[in-house]
Amino acid sequence: MDTLKEKYAKGSINKTWVVLKQALQYGLDKGYLNKDFRLDKVQKPSEREIAKKKKEIQFTTLVH
């Protein structure tokens, strides 16, 4: 997640985190991952570490 904090907005990181956590939990539940794997040791970056706080939304303008 370290590279995510430098490149993506907080919302994008949170969405990625949810999917990653679900995939890892599935792997644990199905026995694809070693039982010693500790999901709680994987952490997403804190708010203050994130370079981009929000993604800028670009709006189009109407041409008359």
Side-chain angles (χ1 to χ4, degrees):
M1 292 283 182
D2 285 344
T3 57
L4 293 178
K5 71 182 179 183
E6 298 164 3
K7 191 173 180 180
Y8 297 101
K10 184 177 185 293
S12 297
I13 294 171
N14 287 341
K15 289 175 189 173
T16 302
W17 174 249
V18 169
V19 172
L20 179 61
K21 193 171 177 182
Q22 288 174 348
L24 291 173
Q25 188 61 55
Y26 179 82
L28 282 169
D29 293 345
K30 295 293 184 178
Y32 300 135
L33 295 174
N34 187 324
K35 295 287 183 196
D36 295 331
F37 179 80
R38 302 258 329 256
L39 190 55
D40 62 329
K41 293 291 182 182
V42 181
Q43 297 178 354
K44 65 180 177 177
S46 68
E47 175 86 29
R48 62 181 167 74
E49 295 177 314
I50 298 172
K52 294 182 180 182
K53 302 301 180 197
K54 287 185 176 181
K55 182 178 181 179
E56 291 183 30
I57 300 172
Q58 297 179 353
F59 293 95
T60 57
T61 56
L62 295 174
V63 180
H64 300 301

